């Protein structure tokens, strides 16, 4: 940072900060009864006041009611104004006309908690939502409605879509949850990314869009409606952007009277089995948010997800792992993921300091270089009131703006709330990093701790539903189970007992059994919809039974004509002969499923056996454990298992597929979240269904916590935005950048693992002392931090006994342990 920029902090800047802080408080104030919500070309307008809003997606069924208050509070503390959620049709109307809004489905309770904490809500009704949720949120009973074509100008679908949408809207009205009634809901969404499939429906697409918009508006909620990724959203519905870079890709509102809204700013991405997690940096997210606000007049930005949570039970879409958006600002367990959470909090505070110029000022754009520009917001008198300096280049540069020289890091945006002083830069992270650890608190390493039940392998004679062809899987299961048995019998009179079994499938997994003996497995992948099993088998002379277990790992959640999707087995050949048109017997689900072996009564009625030393496919396992002390989240480490599902006290924890490895040879997910609200103090029943040959004695119960925190700040970094406001009466020299460290609740800094003031190499993930290093670095850090829940270490030479390397920009890196 140039000295002319850093040290000249005028009283005018301090005064502006105080005024803007007051404005900030007003913007985040509580709701008023009967808020009138409208919009214009600049923003949403609530009670006549333009609003610049940051929103975070938290899906109520992906967490538990016991955690909703904490998650919402952490979002609010991170500078979030709005909580956004989908409505999940298939959990609310699992059977036609039968509704369920209990427990984790209690959307009213969720929204009332949002309101109780002084936040707004955005309700994305859909009711098709995609969301990596099984069947895109549609209830499977729609599949059997005669003549139905989902998401098109089709009367059967429109009837049921309107019925459910009306049901939800009327429920919200009856509970007074729309802002027009004094509730938190300021925005709703109909449909979801329809433009992605609209062309596939030809002449049935555009009329459906108009109908959906008109239907939604006719419900008279008193708040605006949006359609995301629908550039031609009919008036008065607002077209909104989804994606990573809406500051660059959004074509803008389709009317000058509509605001720019970003409904999905992906903080990471969903993960499928076989994939590594997608890591999106805090710097990249902040850059594109700032660009959207400045370049596109963005007035509403939603982070998808702010907290992803857990796909409990069978709720995931095909191949999607059980953990959802674990890399979000709040991870799967609800812990803050740093530096993402704090860096975005800083961004929100910096942007809010510019609220009045952004919403009421006149925008202009000036060039600062080939790949650099400044977006200025001026007052009515033409004076610059706020500026966003943008560097799209890959190199750090010095730019001249308003006759002052500024250092502008590569691929970054600097925010100047008074057009003079940089309050925030999207690339310069002044907040701490943290490390999540899993600590084993209980093992299950003794075979005496386990009992098992071997799943029964049905033969053709044991089935009652039969057809002389291979049936589509969901036609038979109605999505009541992931599992469908295809069984057949045939006569083998050839002396050659060795034959080849070939199975073509459009399910996700197939397990083959010949005369009750395991004969091999095969599976597909997200990008490999069709797959085949080709194994040598041994037949006996005479009658042979073939039993094929076809397995789904979630239903598809996207694409046109979802109701016509063909899933399950496609062909079966033995020794080259096609048996696809032979008589087949079908059995839906597993015997353990049908007896609810995972429930208390089902488990008690099961004849469990001692654990067999040799693991066999399709085996149920049972044990018990006590709840660990404390309130840290807990997880099961299933690293020694293969593929299956888990239940704790009858609650479906989710599917696991540890044997499906990434390109790096690691499972996509190894730890599986067990919410503490599912537990009793003692005697918790753990039931696992293992499809492969995983070994349950390797399972551990782990406590999840933040145990390490690290800060890396240089002299060129900016102090926290909040610190400028908090230290407004102090001198400019005291507002130097600092390393700030803060342990989680009930933990203190117990040791300094590394400290270097000078030119340390690396970052908080991997570091070393550089060519310049103050020998007093560790002592200073220990003096200021040991035994404290939080501490700050100013980057000042005299704190470290003098300047260790004059004329060189110095950095302080401190890594600490929390216990």
């Amino acid at each position: 940072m140039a000295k002319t920029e850093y040290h000249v902090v005028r009283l005018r800047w301090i005064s502006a900060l105080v005024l803007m802080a007051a404005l900030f408080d007003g913007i985040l104030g509580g709701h008023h009864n009967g808020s009138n919500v409208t919009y214009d070309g600049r923003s949403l307008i609530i009670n006549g006041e333009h609003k610049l809003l940051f929103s975070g997606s938290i899906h109520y069924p992906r967490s538990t009611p016991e955690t909703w208050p904490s998650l919402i509070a952490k979002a609010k503390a991170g500078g979030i104004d709005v909580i956004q959620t989908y409505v999940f049709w298939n959990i609310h109307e699992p059977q036609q006309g039968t509704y369920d809004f209990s427990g984790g489905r209690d959307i009213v309770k969720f929204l009332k908690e949002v309101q109780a904490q002084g936040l707004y809500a955005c309700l994305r009704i859909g009711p098709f939502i995609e969301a990596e949720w099984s069947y895109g949120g549609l209830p499977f009973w729609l599949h059997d409605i005669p003549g139905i074509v989902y998401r098109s100008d089709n009367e059967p679908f429109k009837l049921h879509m309107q019925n459910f949408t009306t049901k939800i809207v009327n429920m919200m009205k009856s509970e007074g949850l729309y802002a027009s009634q004094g509730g938190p809901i300021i925005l709703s969404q109909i449909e979801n990314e329809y433009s992605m499939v609209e062309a596939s429906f030809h002449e049935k697409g555009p009329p459906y869009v108009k109908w959906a918009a008109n239907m939604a508006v006719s419900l008279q909620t008193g708040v605006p409606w949006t359609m995301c990724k629908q550039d031609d959203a009919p008036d008065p519905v607002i077209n909104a952007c989804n994606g990573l870079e809406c500051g660059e890709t959004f074509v803008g509102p389709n009317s000058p009277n509509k605001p720019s809204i970003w409904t999905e700013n992906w903080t990471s991405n969903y993960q499928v089995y076989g994939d590594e997690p997608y890591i999106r940096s805090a710097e990249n997210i902040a850059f594109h948010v700032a660009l959207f606000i400045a370049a596109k007049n963005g007035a509403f930005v939603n982070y998808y997800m702010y907290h992803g949570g857990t796909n409990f039970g069978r709720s995931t879409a095909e191949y999607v792992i059980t953990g959802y958006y674990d890399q979000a600002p709040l991870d799967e367990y609800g812990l803050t993921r740093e530096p993402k959470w704090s860096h975005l909090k800083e961004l929100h505070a910096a942007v809010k300091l510019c609220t009045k110029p952004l919403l009421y000022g006149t925008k202009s754009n000036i060039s600062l270089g080939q790949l650099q520009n400044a977006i200025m917001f001026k007052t009515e008198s033409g004076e610059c009131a706020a500026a966003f300096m943008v560097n799209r280049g890959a190199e750090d540069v010095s730019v001249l703006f308003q006759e002052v020289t500024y250092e502008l890091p590569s691929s970054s945006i600097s925010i100047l709330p008074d057009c003079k002083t940089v309050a925030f830069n999207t690339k310069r992270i002044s907040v701490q990093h943290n490390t999540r650890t899993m600590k084993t608190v209980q093992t299950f390493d003794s075979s005496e701790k386990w009992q098992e039940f071997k799943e029964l392998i049905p033969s053709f004679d044991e089935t009652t539903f039969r057809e002389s062809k291979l049936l589509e899987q969901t036609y038979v299961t109605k999505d009541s189970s992931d599992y469908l048995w295809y069984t057949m019998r045939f006569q083998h009179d050839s002396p050659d007992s060795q034959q080849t079994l070939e199975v073509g499938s459009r399910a996700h997994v197939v397990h083959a059994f010949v005369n009750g003996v395991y004969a091999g497995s095969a599976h597909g992948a997200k990008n490999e919809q069709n797959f085949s099993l080709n194994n040598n088998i041994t037949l006996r002379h005479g009658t042979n039974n073939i039993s094929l277990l076809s397995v789904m790992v979630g239903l598809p959640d996207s694409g046109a004509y979802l109701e016509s999707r063909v899933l399950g087995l496609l062909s079966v050949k033995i020794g080259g002969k096609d048996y696809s048109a032979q008589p087949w017997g079908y059995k839906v689900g597993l015997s353990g499923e049908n007896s609810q072996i995972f429930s208390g009564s089902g488990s008690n009625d099961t004849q469990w056996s001692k654990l067999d030393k040799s693991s066999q496919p399709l085996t149920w396992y049972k044990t018990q454990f006590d709840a660990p002390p404390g309130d840290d989240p807990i997880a099961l480490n299933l690293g020694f298992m293969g593929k299956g599902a888990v239940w704790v006290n009858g609650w479906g924890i989710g599917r696991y597929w540890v044997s499906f490895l990434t390109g790096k040879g690691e499972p996509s997910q190894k730890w599986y979240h067990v919410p503490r609200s599912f537990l009793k103090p003692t005697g918790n029943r753990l039931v696992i269904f293992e499809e492969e040959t995983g070994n349950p004695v390797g399972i551990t119960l782990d406590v999840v916590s933040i145990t390490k925190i690290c800060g890396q700040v240089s002299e060129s970094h900016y102090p926290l935005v909040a610190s400028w406001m908090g230290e407004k009466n102090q001198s400019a020299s005291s507002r130097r950048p600092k390393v700030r460290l803060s342990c989680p609740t009930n933990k203190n800094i117990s040791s300094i693992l590394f400290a270097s003031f000078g030119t340390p190499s690396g970052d908080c993930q991997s570091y070393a002392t550089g060519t310049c290093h103050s020998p007093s670095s560790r002592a200073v850090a220990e003096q200021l931090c040991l035994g404290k829940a939080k501490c700050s270490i100013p980057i000042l030479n005299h704190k470290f006994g003098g300047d260790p390397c004059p004329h060189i920009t110095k950095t302080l890196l401190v890594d600490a342990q929390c216990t």
Side-chain angles (χ1 to χ4, degrees):
M1 185 192 304
K3 291 183 178 179
T4 53
E5 173 195 356
Y6 190 87
H7 292 293
V8 181
V9 182
R10 295 176 173 85
L11 289 173
R12 179 179 177 182
W13 162 238
I14 297 172
S15 301
L17 283 171
V18 175
L19 291 172
M20 290 173 184
L23 177 63
F24 187 24
D25 288 340
I27 289 169
L28 289 182
H31 310 137
H32 301 284
N33 289 332
S35 300
N36 180 35
V37 184
T38 58
Y39 62 79
D40 61 14
R42 194 60 200 88
S43 74
L44 293 177
I45 303 171
I46 303 176
N47 284 333
E49 187 177 354
H50 286 81
K51 294 287 187 178
L52 200 164
L53 300 168
F54 291 104
S55 173
S57 286
I58 300 175
H59 294 161
Y60 56 98
R62 283 176 160 141
S63 52
T64 62
E66 292 77 10
T67 61
W68 292 344
S70 172
L71 295 171
I72 294 166
K74 289 178 180 179
K76 181 177 181 179
I80 294 298
D81 311 305
V82 184
I83 300 298
Q84 178 169 288
T85 185
Y86 279 121
V87 179
F88 296 76
W89 187 358
N90 56 10
I91 68 170
H92 293 307
E93 194 178 4
Q95 287 83 39
Q96 186 177 355
T98 301
Y99 296 97
D100 187 353
F101 294 93
S102 64
R105 299 170 175 85
D106 194 345
I107 186 173
V108 168
K109 181 178 180 179
F110 178 78
L111 292 171
K112 286 185 175 180
E113 181 62 36
V114 171
Q115 182 178 24
Q117 298 207 31
L119 299 183
Y120 297 119
C122 174
L123 193 66
R124 307 177 80 188
I125 297 178
F128 171 83
I129 59 173
E130 191 170 335
E132 294 72 57
W133 193 262
S134 191
Y135 222 42
L138 300 178
F140 194 79
W141 55 259
L142 285 173
H143 180 272
D144 295 331
I145 300 296
I148 198 165
V149 180
Y150 303 162
R151 306 177 70 202
S152 71
D153 190 21
N154 170 268
E155 293 305 320
F157 180 72
K158 292 193 296 183
L159 171 66
H160 292 288
M161 173 176 169
Q162 183 168 1
N163 286 347
F164 182 74
T165 304
T166 304
K167 170 82 174 179
I168 294 300
V169 167
N170 287 343
M171 177 182 288
M172 298 301 108
K173 287 181 178 179
S174 69
E175 297 289 342
L177 290 173
Y178 284 106
S180 55
Q181 305 171 288
I185 303 171
I186 59 170
L187 198 62
S188 294
Q189 179 181 301
I190 196 71
E191 248 296 333
N192 193 77
E193 296 186 344
Y194 187 68
S195 66
M196 305 291 286
V197 298
E198 184 173 355
S200 299
F201 294 105
H202 305 292
E203 73 279 0
K204 295 289 188 178
Y208 169 70
V209 173
K210 294 179 182 178
W211 171 84
N214 291 334
M215 181 270 290
V217 173
S218 71
L219 295 174
Q220 299 181 344
T221 62
V223 304
W225 288 85
T226 67
M227 280 184 166
C228 63
K229 273 194 178 180
Q230 193 67 39
D231 294 339
D232 61 351
D235 291 344
V237 176
I238 304 166
N239 61 301
C241 186
N242 286 2
L244 293 167
E245 302 174 347
C246 284
E248 296 174 343
T249 61
F250 186 39
V251 298
N254 62 20
S255 165
N257 299 318
K258 296 179 182 179
S260 290
I261 288 178
W262 192 350
T263 39
E264 289 188 17
N265 178 11
W266 304 326
T267 57
S268 175
N269 208 339
Y270 69 92
Q271 192 177 348
V272 298
Y273 291 108
D275 279 3
E276 294 285 341
Y278 171 70
I279 311 295
R280 188 181 181 197
S281 70
E283 300 97 307
N284 182 267
I285 299 172
F287 175 89
H288 287 287
V289 170
L291 187 64
F292 178 73
I293 289 169
K296 300 291 185 180
N297 295 325
F300 181 101
V301 176
N302 177 73
Y303 298 103
Y304 190 99
M305 299 290 296
Y306 199 78
H307 164 70
T310 305
N311 291 310
F312 297 112
R314 300 175 53 244
S315 61
T316 66
E318 57 182 355
Y319 291 107
V320 175
I321 69 172
T322 296
Y324 192 61
Y325 273 80
D326 185 40
Q327 296 294 323
L330 298 178
D331 70 10
E332 179 184 358
Y333 305 94
L335 304 175
T336 55
R337 185 170 288 283
E338 300 287 18
K340 194 171 286 185
W341 185 86
S342 290
H343 193 57
L344 295 179
K345 176 182 179 178
E346 284 291 289
L347 167 69
H348 304 154
V351 169
K352 287 298 179 79
L353 292 177
C354 308
T355 296
K356 189 171 182 179
L358 285 171
L359 294 178
Y360 300 99
T362 301
K363 185 170 73 172
S364 62
N365 198 329
I366 64 171
S367 174
L368 300 178
Q370 187 174 3
L371 296 172
Q372 296 78 34
N373 67 293
I375 303 171
M376 302 168 59
F377 296 86
K378 299 180 179 180
T379 63
E380 290 183 0
S381 63
E383 184 179 359
C384 183
F388 289 61
M389 295 192 303
V390 183
N391 180 8
R392 289 184 170 86
E395 302 291 336
D396 296 354
V397 295
S398 295
V399 297
L400 187 66
F401 174 68
Q402 301 271 87
E403 299 183 356
V404 177
T405 299
Y406 297 87
E407 298 299 322
L408 197 52
S410 63
S411 302
S412 76
I413 297 176
S414 287
I415 299 175
L416 292 73
D418 64 347
C419 282
K420 300 180 185 301
T421 308
V422 175
F424 178 83
N425 177 269
T426 59
K427 193 168 186 178
R428 295 231 169 112
I429 293 183
S430 299
V431 298
Q432 73 177 15
H433 298 62
N434 65 16
T435 302
R436 185 178 74 188
T437 60
M438 311 293 196
K439 180 183 178 181
T440 297
V441 293
Q442 186 166 341
T443 62
F444 304 91
D445 53 357
S446 170
S447 60
E448 284 75 24
K449 294 181 179 180
W450 290 97
Q451 293 177 294
E452 70 174 28
F453 173 79
K454 289 183 171 58
E455 181 65 25
L456 305 177
I457 312 301
S459 66
F460 180 82
D461 289 339
E462 295 169 317
T463 62
T464 56
F465 177 37
R466 297 171 182 175
E467 287 282 350
S468 293
K469 60 181 179 180
L470 295 171
L471 295 176
E472 195 277 328
Q473 182 157 342
T474 60
Y475 168 81
V476 183
T477 66
K478 310 301 181 188
D479 191 36
S480 62
S481 172
D482 288 348
Y483 302 96
L484 177 64
W485 285 103
Y486 292 73
T487 68
M488 60 93 78
R489 66 182 175 196
F490 70 100
Q491 193 73 13
H492 180 70
D493 297 324
S494 169
D496 185 3
S497 63
Q498 297 300 308
Q499 299 291 331
T500 300
L501 173 65
E502 302 172 69
V503 181
S505 176
R506 199 175 287 158
H508 300 145
V509 180
V510 63
H511 302 294
F513 296 82
V514 177
N515 298 318
V517 178
Y518 178 67
S521 300
H523 67 81
K526 178 68 173 177
N527 58 359
E528 183 187 350
Q529 296 296 306
N530 290 16
F531 67 95
S532 61
L533 180 150
N534 295 274
N535 273 21
N536 293 325
I537 59 174
T538 301
L539 300 177
R540 64 192 177 198
H541 188 76
T543 302
N544 289 266
N545 280 284
I546 304 295
S547 303
L548 303 173
L549 182 59
S550 182
V551 186
M552 297 297 298
V553 186
L555 295 184
D557 68 335
S558 59
Y561 303 106
L562 202 57
E563 72 286 344
S564 301
R565 201 70 60 86
V566 175
L567 303 166
L569 301 190
L570 304 175
S571 63
V572 177
K573 294 180 180 180
I574 301 174
K577 180 180 177 180
D578 194 342
Y579 284 85
S580 303
Q582 296 292 109
W584 286 86
Y586 296 89
K587 181 177 182 292
V588 176
L590 307 165
S591 59
E593 274 187 304
N594 296 330
S595 67
Q596 294 195 315
I597 194 173
F598 44 79
S599 69
S601 59
S603 177
N604 292 335
D605 292 341
T606 300
Q607 292 185 344
W608 295 91
S609 303
K610 291 183 178 180
L611 185 68
D612 194 329
K613 291 182 179 180
S614 59
S615 299
Q616 299 293 321
L618 307 191
T619 302
W620 296 85
Y621 298 102
K622 183 181 77 165
T623 190
Q624 289 190 342
F625 67 93
D626 295 339
D631 55 8
D632 284 333
I634 60 174
L636 287 165
N637 181 344
L638 302 181
F640 286 87
M641 303 304 287
K643 180 188 180 300
V646 187
W647 293 262
V648 172
N649 293 331
W651 296 94
I653 300 304
R655 303 181 183 97
Y656 66 89
W657 200 348
V658 177
S659 63
F660 198 149
L661 303 180
T662 69
K664 296 181 179 179
E666 295 291 331
S668 293
Q669 183 176 356
K670 188 163 67 172
W671 281 276
Y672 290 79
H673 181 206
V674 181
R676 282 190 175 266
S677 60
F678 290 2
L679 302 182
K680 304 176 293 183
T682 60
N684 294 286
R685 183 180 60 259
L686 170 62
V687 175
I688 297 176
F689 175 64
E690 169 63 25
E691 294 178 28
E692 300 175 352
T693 56
N695 188 355
V697 299
I699 294 173
T700 63
L701 186 69
D702 296 355
V703 168
V704 187
S705 62
I706 303 300
T707 57
K708 286 210 310 177
I709 53 177
C710 176
Q712 182 181 23
V713 177
S714 76
E715 292 176 309
S716 63
H717 279 62
Y718 306 105
L720 300 184
V721 176
S723 75
W724 286 97
M725 299 166 65
E727 299 173 5
K728 58 183 178 293
N729 294 321
Q730 299 181 26
S731 64
S733 62
S734 68
R735 289 190 295 273
R736 303 286 298 184
K738 302 177 177 69
V739 165
R740 288 176 165 84
L741 301 176
S742 178
C743 287
T745 305
N746 299 325
K747 290 183 172 66
N748 291 331
I749 297 171
S750 56
S751 64
I752 300 299
L753 304 175
F754 177 86
S756 178
F757 177 62
T759 58
S761 62
D763 54 28
C764 278
Q765 302 301 315
S766 176
Y767 45 70
T769 301
T771 55
C772 169
H773 168 72
S774 170
S776 62
S777 300
R778 181 184 292 271
V780 171
E782 289 177 341
Q783 179 186 2
L784 294 174
C785 297
L786 282 183
K788 298 179 180 178
K790 58 183 179 180
C791 65
S792 63
I793 310 171
I795 301 180
L796 294 169
N797 289 327
H798 73 267
K799 286 285 185 181
F800 296 89
D803 191 339
C805 40
H807 313 300
I808 294 177
T809 300
K810 286 162 285 296
T811 295
L812 174 61
L813 194 157
V814 179
D815 193 17
Q817 186 86 27
C818 293
T819 57

